[in-house]
Amino acid sequence: MIYLDFDINNEDRISHINLDAHEYNGTERECTLKEALEDLKIQNPCMIFTRKLKSGYYSSKLSEDAITSIAEATDFLANLWQYSDEYVRYADGKNMQPYMNPLHILENALNLLIEQRELIIDLKGKYGD
């Protein structure tokens, strides 16, 4: 299982997302793509955030603003962890998954990027460059 971790900058905002693969070192051999994708599932960041928050991990290491920044980011990113043919942004959360393989997350992320691009284009058209 792969987990997301966040780097926080001096302004208590997320500056980088890391993939923590724990025991994987890149030398693993899988027989099929399906087996590899099963091993490389990525856990929904909301699950990790909730667990760390309940354990007191964040409060002992980070400011309240940094914790809020992580909470907002995990809430936004968690939308990627669902099976949906619709735009991720408008999904109702009913298909939210605790973990998913990287190809499904990549597909959802690419669709979200296209949607965000369209919003930016619309805003530029409305307000100018």
Side-chain angles (χ1 to χ4, degrees):
M1 182 85 53
I2 299 172
Y3 307 92
L4 296 183
D5 196 16
F6 302 95
D7 290 338
I8 303 295
N9 64 19
N10 293 337
E11 290 87 34
D12 288 332
R13 298 185 65 161
I14 295 172
S15 61
H16 190 262
I17 296 174
N18 301 299
L19 293 177
D20 184 355
H22 294 293
E23 71 274 6
Y24 300 111
N25 62 17
T27 62
E28 296 78 21
R29 298 276 185 220
E30 297 293 339
C31 296
T32 66
L33 177 60
K34 182 179 179 180
E35 290 172 347
L37 291 174
E38 284 294 318
D39 278 349
L40 294 176
K41 285 187 176 178
I42 302 172
Q43 189 166 34
N44 188 320
C46 278
M47 295 181 66
I48 300 164
F49 176 78
T50 301
R51 185 174 55 245
K52 286 183 173 182
L53 187 66
K54 286 181 179 180
S55 74
Y57 173 85
Y58 289 127
S59 60
S60 66
K61 297 180 183 267
L62 299 173
S63 71
E64 190 172 320
D65 288 342
I67 296 168
T68 300
S69 182
I70 293 172
E72 290 170 348
T74 58
D75 187 50
F76 177 76
L77 291 172
N79 289 319
L80 299 176
W81 271 258
Q82 48 192 323
Y83 298 109
S84 174
D85 293 331
E86 299 174 15
Y87 288 118
V88 174
R89 182 170 177 244
Y90 301 109
D92 60 8
K94 290 181 181 174
N95 295 320
M96 195 72 63
Q97 301 295 309
Y99 50 84
M100 287 184 80
N101 78 54
L103 291 181
H104 281 111
I105 295 170
L106 176 61
E107 179 182 8
N108 289 344
L110 291 171
N111 282 313
L112 181 60
L113 285 171
I114 291 297
E115 180 183 331
Q116 297 298 310
R117 179 182 179 273
E118 292 301 316
L119 289 172
I120 291 168
I121 290 169
D122 290 346
L123 288 172
K124 282 184 175 181
K126 185 182 269 187
Y127 298 108
D129 290 329

